[in-house]
């Protein structure tokens, strides 16, 4: 007795590659200018298949950003929270950021969140919530690291942890804008190092020593 053929076509796409390709379109064109046809061409998936696999345009974007964040989070977390030197940890973190904001061939991608959806945030509450959550997450990351530094005596005990964290978050936002505007990677790296030095000075950084 012959086995019945299975219904439906087998999955012919790699979800990880498809989402990476979709995010590339969003980063190059911006959210509004990226059409479903652009996404279909980039992922080599028909529009009905895109909908079936990932949902509507906003859901495709959300899933693509989530994948990007998960893939890059470990390197950044290691730089901030496992590197013994606060200065080197911050410099390594921002070097990761610069590398993510400018492609290997020099293409100005910017941040996959700030550079893609900021223009739509005021008009679309859902997109506004996505942007607000992303900004809050960055602020919280730096506040946590600077609080640890204060407790460990790496910076002054009375340092304005919230203010220093906001300075570092603002640096990240500025790098996204400058990268999108075409600033080259070496210049972005130099800007990051200079601002990290200013932030550490403002925090009363003790260099390689522990403050008494």
């Amino acid at each position: 007795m012959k086995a019945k053929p299975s219904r439906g076509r087998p999955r012919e796409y790699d979800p990880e590659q498809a989402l990476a390709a979709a995010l590339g379109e969003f980063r190059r064109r911006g959210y509004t200018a990226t059409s479903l046809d652009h996404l279909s061409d980039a992922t080599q998936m028909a529009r009905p298949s895109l909908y079936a696999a990932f949902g509507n345009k906003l859901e495709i974007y959300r899933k693509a950003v989530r994948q990007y964040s998960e893939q890059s989070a470990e390197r950044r977390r290691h730089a901030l929270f496992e590197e013994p030197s606060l200065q080197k940890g911050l410099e390594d973190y921002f070097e990761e950021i610069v590398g993510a904001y400018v492609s290997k061939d020099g293409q100005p991608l910017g941040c996959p969140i700030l550079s893609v959806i900021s223009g739509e945030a005021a008009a679309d509450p859902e997109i506004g919530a996505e942007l607000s959550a992303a900004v809050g997450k960055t602020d919280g990351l730096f506040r946590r690291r600077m609080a640890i530094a204060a407790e460990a005596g790496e910076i002054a005990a009375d340092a304005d942890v919230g203010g220093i964290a906001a300075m570092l978050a603002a640096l990240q936002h500025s790098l996204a804008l400058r990268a999108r505007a075409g600033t080259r990677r070496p210049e972005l790296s130099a800007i990051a190092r200079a601002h990290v030095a200013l932030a550490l000075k403002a925090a009363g950084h003790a260099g390689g020593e522990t403050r008494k």
Side-chain angles (χ1 to χ4, degrees):
M1 183 176 179
K2 276 189 176 181
K4 291 182 180 179
S6 59
R7 292 186 178 183
R9 297 177 61 188
R11 177 177 289 182
E12 296 178 351
Y13 69 94
D14 181 311
E16 185 173 310
Q17 291 181 4
L19 288 174
L23 187 60
E25 287 298 297
F26 284 121
R27 296 180 79 180
R28 282 188 286 273
R29 301 175 185 275
Y31 182 81
T32 298
T34 300
S35 69
L36 285 170
D37 286 336
H38 292 139
L39 296 174
S40 177
D41 289 343
T43 60
Q44 299 184 336
M45 296 173 65
R47 288 177 59 166
S49 297
L50 271 175
Y51 276 115
F54 305 118
N56 62 21
K57 178 177 166 180
L58 182 55
E59 284 304 308
I60 295 171
Y61 170 74
R62 282 173 170 161
K63 289 172 181 174
V65 167
R66 190 178 305 125
Q67 174 177 281
Y68 166 89
S69 298
E70 289 171 353
Q71 291 174 343
S72 60
E74 178 57 26
R75 296 190 302 274
R76 297 178 188 178
R77 187 196 66 78
H78 186 276
L80 274 187
F81 296 103
E82 294 187 23
E83 167 56 51
S85 163
L86 175 62
Q87 180 173 353
K88 186 173 188 308
L90 288 172
E91 289 176 350
D92 287 354
Y93 174 90
F94 281 109
E95 195 57 33
E96 286 283 345
I97 289 293
V98 169
Y101 289 177
V102 181
S103 70
K104 291 180 180 179
D105 60 358
Q107 187 175 9
L109 297 173
C111 175
I113 300 175
L114 299 175
S115 303
V116 172
I117 61 172
S118 57
E120 290 79 14
D124 188 319
E126 281 192 274
I127 292 178
E130 292 283 329
L131 183 61
S132 178
V135 170
K137 185 176 181 179
T138 301
D139 289 347
L141 192 72
F142 287 121
R143 276 198 303 271
R144 191 159 70 252
R145 181 61 184 95
M146 299 313 290
I148 291 171
E151 290 176 6
E154 293 179 278
I155 60 176
D158 60 350
D160 182 0
V161 168
I164 301 303
M167 287 176 64
L168 294 168
L171 168 59
Q172 184 164 331
H173 303 159
S174 176
L175 292 173
L177 177 63
R178 288 174 179 273
R180 192 67 166 176
T183 303
R184 295 181 180 277
R185 181 168 179 167
E187 186 177 348
L188 291 173
S189 295
I191 291 169
R193 288 192 299 271
H195 281 76
V196 164
L198 286 174
L200 291 175
K201 183 177 180 181
H205 182 233
E209 302 174 0
T210 299
R211 297 183 66 92
K212 302 295 184 184

